[in-house]
Structure formats: C-alpha cells, structure tokens
Amino acid sequence: MKASLSNSELILNADGSIYHLNLLPEDIADIIITVGDPERVSEVSKHFDSIEIKKGKREFITHTGMYVNKRITVISTGIGTDNIDIVFNELDALVNIDFASRKVKKEKKQLSFIRIGTSGSIQTDIPVDSFLMSSSAIGFDNLLHFYEHGHVKNHELESALTPYLCWADHNIHPYVIDFDESLAKIFESNRIRYGVTVTNSGFYGPQGRTLRLAPSIHDFNDKLARFSHQNTRITNLEMETAGIYGLAKLLGHRAVSLNAILANRATGEFSEQGHKTVEELIKYTLNAIANSDLI
C-alpha cells in the first residue's frame, strides 16, 4: 500500500485548503486560465456570466465561474517559473491527491491550462499588439532540472540549440518542451501566429536588457534571433511558459501559452495600447473556449 504524504510534503491549511493557493478541491474547474498579474484575474472574470469562487493568498488570486456553458478557473501565478512550480504542483494536488487519506489517487484527472500573458518579440516581422501561441518553449530558468524530465523534452530542437549557443560556461543549460497540440487547435485562427518562446528567470539581464548593470552575454537577443533549425526560429521572450509546459506534461495535463506581444526588442518599440491588446486576447481566448469541446 502506498504511504501517505507527510505533513511537511502535502501542506494543508487549517480549513483543509492547499497551502499557498488557499483552495479546496471543489474550488477549481478543469479548464484553468493562468495570468501573471493578480489584477488581471478580474479582467478575465468580468466577462464571466457568474462567479462562484473568489479566493486569494499572497499573489495567488483565484476566481471560478461560468462563461457561456463552460466552468472556468482563472488564477494569477505572479512572475516567474518559481511561482509556476508552486501553482502547478498545488493545482494538480487538488485534483489528484485525496486530502483525507493524503494519498495519490489511482485515477488521475487531466486539467487544461491556458496561459494569457505578455511577451516581447525578438524578430522584426512580429509587430507589437499581435498574438502569438508558443508551439515550443525553451527554458533557461533551470526549474525542470530539479525533476526527472527527459521523457517530455523536444530532444531534436534542444540538441540543435545547445551547441549553437555554447552558453554552458554561463551555466545556461536549456530544456525544450512543446505545447499540447490538441489543446492548441482550439485557438488556431488567422489572428494568432505560432512561435518558439524563450523563458528566462528575470526581466533585465536574463533578457539582455541593460540599465546600470551590463549583461554577461552581450549579444543575447541577437544570437537567439539568428538561430534556425528546420525552418524553426525563436520568436519571443517571457518568464513562465517553459515551466508551464514542462510541469503540465510531467503531471499529465495539457497546456498552451498565448502571448500578447507588447514589445519588439529588435526594433525598440513598445505598445501604446497594451491594456487594449491584452483585453482583446482575453476575449479571443474566452470565445475560443466557449466554442470548443472542452468541459
């Protein structure tokens, strides 16, 4: 018989909710939209026909409600894959661990994760205020190196990228994870393009920005932008997608990342209507979910 998870492994609050998210199993839907900014949760849920759950703790705000005929949860993760590690492990625990017995359930439930986030393009032909769906994510953040993850990686793309970059001396060992193709089909249209997304552990030096500190890799974005493998190129930078794809696959869930491109690092442009662009991506996402076979 499988051992029960100890109190220090599966940490529950006094009301039986999961430690960081402050949620009970019945609080979440099988369709989950993740956003980075806690204030963006209400920007999504304001479109719901009804809201049944509003809970929060720290940067993790959760609303669950109905949109047309779909029960949807929207949750803020905060910035970075360190928070993705918390959010995805705890959301999985809510559906796949019995809190009473503290044992993993024999029958597993699969969740569908859709990230609505912002991102910066590194290609001149990807304009600000466009939408991009990450077909693959390249993780420079190290999160997945703490898990046994070889079986979920895109080994071909990773094997081409690693020797091209030659960044091992900078302690950068990229991993590559693909999106869930079946979930991605729901969001296909002429409005959204595909791309390969880089996820890194910071916003400034880790994305090649210079304010007062000089990055250790001076041609960071240029080298990424020049990479090509079998007509595949790197398109944009952000801070969560690789962690989302990796943990979702490892835990048996589906995930796709939808990006509002608010900056073009190659041209130096930044959106003058960022809020409007994100609002359009939210409505695009919700309408695609409503017209899908997701339940």
Side-chain angles (χ1 to χ4, degrees):
M1 181 175 291
K2 293 182 179 179
S4 298
L5 294 163
S6 70
N7 290 342
S8 65
E9 299 299 300
L10 174 64
I11 306 173
L12 302 179
N13 298 312
D15 64 353
S17 62
I18 196 74
Y19 183 56
H20 294 93
L21 303 186
N22 198 36
L23 296 173
L24 297 165
E26 60 266 27
D27 290 338
I28 65 169
D30 293 351
I31 304 168
I32 299 178
I33 294 173
T34 69
V35 297
D37 185 352
E39 293 187 1
R40 195 173 295 152
V41 172
S42 60
E43 292 299 305
V44 176
S45 67
K46 72 181 182 183
H47 297 285
F48 289 0
D49 301 312
S50 62
I51 300 174
E52 63 185 85
I53 297 292
K54 284 187 175 183
K55 289 188 176 181
K57 186 178 179 182
R58 307 188 191 192
E59 62 265 57
F60 308 118
I61 306 299
T62 303
H63 293 179
T64 296
M66 296 296 297
Y67 180 77
V68 188
N69 59 342
K70 308 292 186 182
R71 187 171 187 251
I72 301 172
T73 291
V74 55
I75 185 169
S76 59
T77 63
I79 297 174
T81 56
D82 53 343
N83 281 353
I84 295 301
D85 183 60
I86 291 171
V87 172
F88 273 64
N89 274 292
E90 293 196 0
L91 288 173
D92 176 77
L94 287 168
V95 297
N96 288 321
I97 296 176
D98 185 313
F99 284 6
S101 67
R102 307 183 69 88
K103 293 181 179 179
V104 176
K105 295 177 180 179
K106 183 177 180 180
E107 298 296 326
K108 307 296 188 302
K109 177 178 282 191
Q110 183 182 69
L111 301 173
S112 295
F113 291 100
I114 302 100
R115 172 186 176 269
I116 298 177
T118 59
S119 184
S121 166
I122 61 172
Q123 302 290 349
T124 56
D125 62 331
I126 300 178
V128 297
D129 301 315
S130 61
F131 298 165
L132 184 145
M133 179 159 49
S134 305
S135 56
S136 299
I138 301 166
F140 290 161
D141 59 294
N142 287 327
L143 172 62
L144 252 64
H145 296 312
F146 289 91
Y147 296 96
E148 295 180 357
H149 67 280
H151 61 292
V152 301
K153 296 196 297 183
N154 180 330
H155 290 280
E156 181 181 344
L157 185 54
E158 184 177 308
S159 296
L161 180 66
T162 300
Y164 166 81
L165 293 176
C166 296
W167 285 351
D169 57 337
H170 295 286
N171 293 316
I172 296 176
H173 304 279
Y175 60 89
V176 182
I177 312 289
D178 296 334
F179 66 178
D180 184 277
E181 292 188 20
S182 62
L183 185 59
K185 289 185 183 300
I186 292 168
F187 303 98
E188 289 181 343
S189 79
N190 293 332
R191 181 72 173 85
I192 195 164
R193 69 184 73 210
Y194 288 92
V196 175
T197 298
V198 162
T199 297
N200 216 331
S201 55
F203 186 77
Y204 290 96
Q207 292 189 30
R209 286 185 172 91
T210 301
L211 296 183
R212 290 204 317 117
L213 297 176
S216 61
I217 305 173
H218 299 286
D219 62 345
F220 184 85
N221 289 343
D222 289 341
K223 191 157 190 179
L224 291 176
R226 292 194 301 267
F227 173 76
S228 178
H229 175 69
Q230 295 185 353
N231 296 319
T232 296
R233 62 177 183 163
I234 298 170
T235 53
N236 61 306
L237 306 171
E238 51 76 76
M239 295 178 62
E240 291 89 35
T241 298
I244 289 172
Y245 284 6
L247 290 183
K249 281 186 181 292
L250 288 173
L251 292 165
H253 304 301
R254 305 195 297 169
V256 68
S257 177
L258 309 180
N259 302 268
I261 302 297
L262 298 190
N264 188 301
R265 301 295 302 285
T267 64
E269 297 174 87
F270 194 83
S271 173
E272 296 181 356
Q273 56 167 43
H275 186 272
K276 179 176 182 290
T277 299
V278 172
E279 172 69 6
E280 289 176 354
L281 181 57
I282 289 169
K283 291 190 287 188
Y284 178 93
T285 303
L286 288 173
N287 289 334
I289 291 171
N291 292 321
S292 74
D293 59 0
L294 288 175
I295 57 173

